[in-house]
Short mmCIF file of all heavy atoms in Angstrom, two decimals:
data_model
loop_
_atom_site.label_atom_id
_atom_site.label_comp_id
_atom_site.label_asym_id
_atom_site.label_seq_id
_atom_site.Cartn_x
_atom_site.Cartn_y
_atom_site.Cartn_z
N GLY R 1 -6.90 -5.77 1.29
CA GLY R 1 -6.26 -6.57 2.34
C GLY R 1 -7.09 -7.58 2.94
O GLY R 1 -8.34 -7.69 2.57
N GLY R 2 -6.58 -8.40 3.78
CA GLY R 2 -7.36 -9.45 4.34
C GLY R 2 -6.39 -10.41 5.04
O GLY R 2 -5.25 -10.19 5.32
N LEU R 3 -6.97 -11.63 5.45
CA LEU R 3 -6.25 -12.63 6.12
C LEU R 3 -5.88 -13.73 5.10
O LEU R 3 -6.70 -14.24 4.32
CB LEU R 3 -7.11 -13.28 7.18
CG LEU R 3 -6.59 -14.44 7.95
CD1 LEU R 3 -5.31 -14.14 8.70
CD2 LEU R 3 -7.65 -15.09 8.89
N VAL R 4 -4.68 -14.19 5.08
CA VAL R 4 -4.17 -15.11 4.14
C VAL R 4 -3.17 -16.03 4.77
O VAL R 4 -2.41 -15.59 5.70
CB VAL R 4 -3.56 -14.41 2.94
CG1 VAL R 4 -2.39 -13.62 3.18
CG2 VAL R 4 -3.25 -15.43 1.80
N GLN R 5 -2.98 -17.27 4.37
CA GLN R 5 -2.08 -18.16 4.85
C GLN R 5 -0.69 -17.81 4.25
O GLN R 5 -0.56 -17.32 3.22
CB GLN R 5 -2.43 -19.67 4.58
CG GLN R 5 -3.73 -20.17 5.24
CD GLN R 5 -3.60 -20.49 6.67
OE1 GLN R 5 -2.42 -20.89 7.03
NE2 GLN R 5 -4.55 -20.23 7.47
N ALA R 6 0.28 -18.19 4.96
CA ALA R 6 1.72 -18.01 4.51
C ALA R 6 1.87 -18.73 3.17
O ALA R 6 1.40 -19.87 2.98
CB ALA R 6 2.67 -18.58 5.49
N GLY R 7 2.46 -18.04 2.21
CA GLY R 7 2.66 -18.66 0.87
C GLY R 7 1.49 -18.16 -0.04
O GLY R 7 1.64 -18.38 -1.26
N GLY R 8 0.48 -17.56 0.46
CA GLY R 8 -0.58 -17.16 -0.34
C GLY R 8 -0.43 -15.81 -1.07
O GLY R 8 0.74 -15.27 -0.85
N SER R 9 -1.41 -15.25 -1.67
CA SER R 9 -1.29 -14.00 -2.42
C SER R 9 -2.49 -13.12 -2.16
O SER R 9 -3.63 -13.51 -1.80
CB SER R 9 -1.31 -14.34 -3.95
OG SER R 9 -0.09 -15.04 -4.30
N LEU R 10 -2.28 -11.85 -2.23
CA LEU R 10 -3.28 -10.79 -2.20
C LEU R 10 -2.90 -9.71 -3.27
O LEU R 10 -1.74 -9.49 -3.58
CB LEU R 10 -3.33 -10.12 -0.80
CG LEU R 10 -3.95 -10.97 0.33
CD1 LEU R 10 -3.74 -10.27 1.62
CD2 LEU R 10 -5.41 -11.16 0.08
N ARG R 11 -3.87 -8.94 -3.71
CA ARG R 11 -3.73 -7.85 -4.60
C ARG R 11 -4.36 -6.67 -3.97
O ARG R 11 -5.59 -6.56 -3.79
CB ARG R 11 -4.26 -8.23 -6.00
CG ARG R 11 -3.89 -7.09 -7.00
CD ARG R 11 -4.60 -7.26 -8.30
NE ARG R 11 -4.00 -6.52 -9.36
CZ ARG R 11 -4.61 -6.21 -10.55
NH1 ARG R 11 -5.81 -6.71 -10.81
NH2 ARG R 11 -3.93 -5.58 -11.49
N LEU R 12 -3.49 -5.68 -3.65
CA LEU R 12 -3.98 -4.44 -3.04
C LEU R 12 -4.24 -3.47 -4.20
O LEU R 12 -3.59 -3.42 -5.20
CB LEU R 12 -2.98 -3.81 -2.14
CG LEU R 12 -2.52 -4.72 -0.96
CD1 LEU R 12 -1.63 -4.00 -0.05
CD2 LEU R 12 -3.71 -5.39 -0.18
N SER R 13 -5.20 -2.58 -3.97
CA SER R 13 -5.56 -1.51 -4.97
C SER R 13 -5.63 -0.10 -4.19
O SER R 13 -5.86 -0.16 -3.01
CB SER R 13 -6.91 -1.75 -5.66
OG SER R 13 -6.97 -2.91 -6.38
N CYS R 14 -5.29 0.93 -4.86
CA CYS R 14 -5.38 2.20 -4.39
C CYS R 14 -6.15 3.15 -5.41
O CYS R 14 -5.59 3.19 -6.58
CB CYS R 14 -4.01 2.74 -4.05
SG CYS R 14 -3.93 4.35 -3.38
N THR R 15 -7.13 3.75 -4.97
CA THR R 15 -7.86 4.62 -5.93
C THR R 15 -7.92 6.02 -5.22
O THR R 15 -7.78 6.22 -4.02
CB THR R 15 -9.27 4.08 -6.14
OG1 THR R 15 -9.99 4.00 -4.92
CG2 THR R 15 -9.31 2.75 -6.82
N ALA R 16 -8.14 7.02 -6.15
CA ALA R 16 -8.21 8.30 -5.65
C ALA R 16 -9.29 9.16 -6.32
O ALA R 16 -9.56 8.92 -7.51
CB ALA R 16 -6.79 9.09 -5.97
N SER R 17 -9.77 10.04 -5.62
CA SER R 17 -10.78 10.94 -6.08
C SER R 17 -10.27 12.37 -5.86
O SER R 17 -9.63 12.65 -4.89
CB SER R 17 -12.20 10.76 -5.50
OG SER R 17 -12.10 10.96 -4.13
N GLY R 18 -10.52 13.29 -6.74
CA GLY R 18 -10.06 14.69 -6.60
C GLY R 18 -8.53 14.83 -6.84
O GLY R 18 -7.99 15.84 -6.58
N LEU R 19 -7.94 13.79 -7.44
CA LEU R 19 -6.54 13.78 -7.71
C LEU R 19 -6.30 12.81 -8.92
O LEU R 19 -6.74 11.72 -8.95
CB LEU R 19 -5.81 13.35 -6.48
CG LEU R 19 -4.23 13.37 -6.53
CD1 LEU R 19 -3.78 14.85 -6.47
CD2 LEU R 19 -3.71 12.54 -5.35
N THR R 20 -5.45 13.31 -9.86
CA THR R 20 -5.04 12.48 -10.97
C THR R 20 -3.77 11.88 -10.64
O THR R 20 -2.72 12.50 -10.64
CB THR R 20 -4.97 13.37 -12.23
OG1 THR R 20 -6.25 13.97 -12.49
CG2 THR R 20 -4.59 12.38 -13.49
N LEU R 21 -3.73 10.51 -10.40
CA LEU R 21 -2.55 9.86 -10.06
C LEU R 21 -1.43 9.72 -10.92
O LEU R 21 -0.33 9.67 -10.52
CB LEU R 21 -2.95 8.41 -9.51
CG LEU R 21 -3.91 8.31 -8.31
CD1 LEU R 21 -4.09 6.83 -7.95
CD2 LEU R 21 -3.22 8.98 -7.08
N ASP R 22 -1.77 9.88 -12.28
CA ASP R 22 -0.81 9.81 -13.26
C ASP R 22 0.25 11.07 -13.23
O ASP R 22 1.15 11.10 -13.95
CB ASP R 22 -1.31 9.61 -14.65
CG ASP R 22 -2.21 10.76 -15.14
OD1 ASP R 22 -2.28 11.85 -14.50
OD2 ASP R 22 -2.77 10.59 -16.23
N SER R 23 -0.20 12.04 -12.38
CA SER R 23 0.71 13.23 -12.21
C SER R 23 1.81 12.96 -11.21
O SER R 23 2.69 13.82 -11.06
CB SER R 23 -0.09 14.38 -11.71
OG SER R 23 -1.05 14.79 -12.72
N TYR R 24 1.82 11.80 -10.58
CA TYR R 24 2.73 11.55 -9.45
C TYR R 24 3.47 10.18 -9.54
O TYR R 24 2.85 9.22 -9.97
CB TYR R 24 1.98 11.53 -8.10
CG TYR R 24 1.31 12.85 -7.83
CD1 TYR R 24 -0.13 12.98 -8.21
CD2 TYR R 24 1.95 13.88 -7.23
CE1 TYR R 24 -0.75 14.16 -7.95
CE2 TYR R 24 1.18 15.19 -7.01
CZ TYR R 24 -0.11 15.18 -7.35
OH TYR R 24 -0.76 16.47 -7.14
N THR R 25 4.68 10.20 -9.03
CA THR R 25 5.26 8.92 -8.55
C THR R 25 4.41 8.46 -7.32
O THR R 25 3.96 9.20 -6.55
CB THR R 25 6.71 9.21 -8.19
OG1 THR R 25 7.51 9.41 -9.32
CG2 THR R 25 7.29 7.98 -7.44
N LEU R 26 4.23 7.17 -7.24
CA LEU R 26 3.41 6.58 -6.25
C LEU R 26 4.13 5.50 -5.42
O LEU R 26 5.01 4.85 -5.86
CB LEU R 26 2.10 5.93 -6.82
CG LEU R 26 1.20 6.80 -7.69
CD1 LEU R 26 0.12 5.95 -8.37
CD2 LEU R 26 0.62 7.93 -6.83
N GLY R 27 3.81 5.33 -4.18
CA GLY R 27 4.51 4.39 -3.35
C GLY R 27 3.58 3.63 -2.50
O GLY R 27 2.41 4.15 -2.08
N TRP R 28 3.84 2.42 -2.12
CA TRP R 28 3.20 1.61 -1.11
C TRP R 28 4.07 1.55 0.11
O TRP R 28 5.29 1.36 0.05
CB TRP R 28 2.99 0.11 -1.63
CG TRP R 28 1.82 0.04 -2.54
CD1 TRP R 28 1.86 0.00 -3.93
CD2 TRP R 28 0.45 -0.03 -2.26
NE1 TRP R 28 0.64 -0.20 -4.43
CE2 TRP R 28 -0.24 -0.18 -3.42
CE3 TRP R 28 -0.27 0.04 -1.06
CZ2 TRP R 28 -1.70 -0.25 -3.47
CZ3 TRP R 28 -1.67 -0.08 -1.03
CH2 TRP R 28 -2.30 -0.29 -2.31
N PHE R 29 3.53 1.76 1.25
CA PHE R 29 4.13 1.72 2.58
C PHE R 29 3.35 0.81 3.45
O PHE R 29 2.23 0.58 3.26
CB PHE R 29 4.30 3.18 3.17
CG PHE R 29 5.05 4.10 2.35
CD1 PHE R 29 4.49 4.74 1.22
CD2 PHE R 29 6.42 4.35 2.63
CE1 PHE R 29 5.21 5.61 0.42
CE2 PHE R 29 7.17 5.28 1.83
CZ PHE R 29 6.53 5.88 0.76
N ARG R 30 4.09 0.33 4.49
CA ARG R 30 3.45 -0.54 5.56
C ARG R 30 3.89 -0.13 6.94
O ARG R 30 5.01 0.30 7.07
CB ARG R 30 3.58 -2.06 5.20
CG ARG R 30 5.00 -2.51 5.24
CD ARG R 30 5.07 -3.94 4.81
NE ARG R 30 6.39 -4.46 4.95
CZ ARG R 30 6.81 -5.69 4.51
NH1 ARG R 30 5.83 -6.43 3.94
NH2 ARG R 30 8.11 -6.13 4.68
N GLN R 31 3.06 -0.51 7.81
CA GLN R 31 3.51 -0.31 9.19
C GLN R 31 2.85 -1.25 10.12
O GLN R 31 1.60 -1.55 10.12
CB GLN R 31 3.09 1.12 9.74
CG GLN R 31 3.51 1.52 11.07
CD GLN R 31 3.39 2.90 11.41
OE1 GLN R 31 2.50 3.65 10.88
NE2 GLN R 31 4.27 3.50 12.28
N ALA R 32 3.66 -1.99 10.88
CA ALA R 32 3.15 -2.94 11.86
C ALA R 32 3.25 -2.36 13.28
O ALA R 32 4.08 -1.42 13.52
CB ALA R 32 3.99 -4.19 11.85
N PRO R 33 2.41 -2.70 14.21
CA PRO R 33 2.53 -2.17 15.55
C PRO R 33 3.89 -2.23 16.21
O PRO R 33 4.57 -3.27 16.05
CB PRO R 33 1.53 -3.10 16.34
CG PRO R 33 0.59 -3.62 15.41
CD PRO R 33 1.36 -3.80 14.13
N GLY R 34 4.36 -1.09 16.69
CA GLY R 34 5.68 -0.99 17.29
C GLY R 34 6.79 -0.87 16.38
O GLY R 34 8.00 -0.85 16.77
N LYS R 35 6.51 -0.78 15.00
CA LYS R 35 7.53 -0.59 13.99
C LYS R 35 7.37 0.75 13.26
O LYS R 35 6.27 1.33 13.25
CB LYS R 35 7.59 -1.78 13.09
CG LYS R 35 7.86 -3.10 13.73
CD LYS R 35 7.92 -4.15 12.63
CE LYS R 35 8.19 -5.50 13.21
NZ LYS R 35 8.17 -6.59 12.25
N GLN R 36 8.42 1.16 12.71
CA GLN R 36 8.38 2.28 11.87
C GLN R 36 7.64 2.08 10.49
O GLN R 36 7.80 0.90 10.09
CB GLN R 36 9.74 2.94 11.55
CG GLN R 36 10.41 3.50 12.80
CD GLN R 36 11.77 4.22 12.38
OE1 GLN R 36 12.36 3.76 11.45
NE2 GLN R 36 12.12 5.27 13.05
N ARG R 37 7.06 3.04 9.96
CA ARG R 37 6.47 2.87 8.61
C ARG R 37 7.57 2.76 7.51
O ARG R 37 8.48 3.54 7.63
CB ARG R 37 5.52 4.05 8.27
CG ARG R 37 4.76 3.88 6.96
CD ARG R 37 3.73 4.95 6.79
NE ARG R 37 2.69 4.90 7.82
CZ ARG R 37 1.57 5.63 7.85
NH1 ARG R 37 1.34 6.51 6.82
NH2 ARG R 37 0.74 5.53 8.84
N GLU R 38 7.42 1.73 6.87
CA GLU R 38 8.55 1.50 5.86
C GLU R 38 8.02 1.45 4.36
O GLU R 38 6.92 1.06 4.12
CB GLU R 38 9.31 0.11 6.05
CG GLU R 38 8.32 -1.07 5.99
CD GLU R 38 9.12 -2.46 6.07
OE1 GLU R 38 10.35 -2.46 5.88
OE2 GLU R 38 8.52 -3.38 6.37
N GLY R 39 8.83 1.91 3.44
CA GLY R 39 8.46 1.90 2.06
C GLY R 39 8.74 0.56 1.51
O GLY R 39 9.86 0.00 1.69
#
């Protein structure tokens, strides 16, 4: 994550230790202040 101008791009990564991610369906979620966490 980081700061970017509107129209720009970012690439997020998620890594795990002690867990093999290929065993699971995975999801990205986000939450802004005052809002519910959304998938």
Side-chain angles (χ1 to χ4, degrees):
L3 175 64
V4 65
Q5 295 285 329
S9 299
L10 286 172
R11 191 189 194 194
L12 306 184
S13 298
C14 178
T15 59
S17 60
L19 186 71
T20 302
L21 294 181
D22 65 6
S23 297
Y24 302 94
T25 288
L26 303 174
W28 282 101
F29 298 81
R30 66 185 182 186
Q31 187 168 25
K35 298 182 179 179
Q36 291 186 327
R37 186 170 296 186
E38 64 173 340

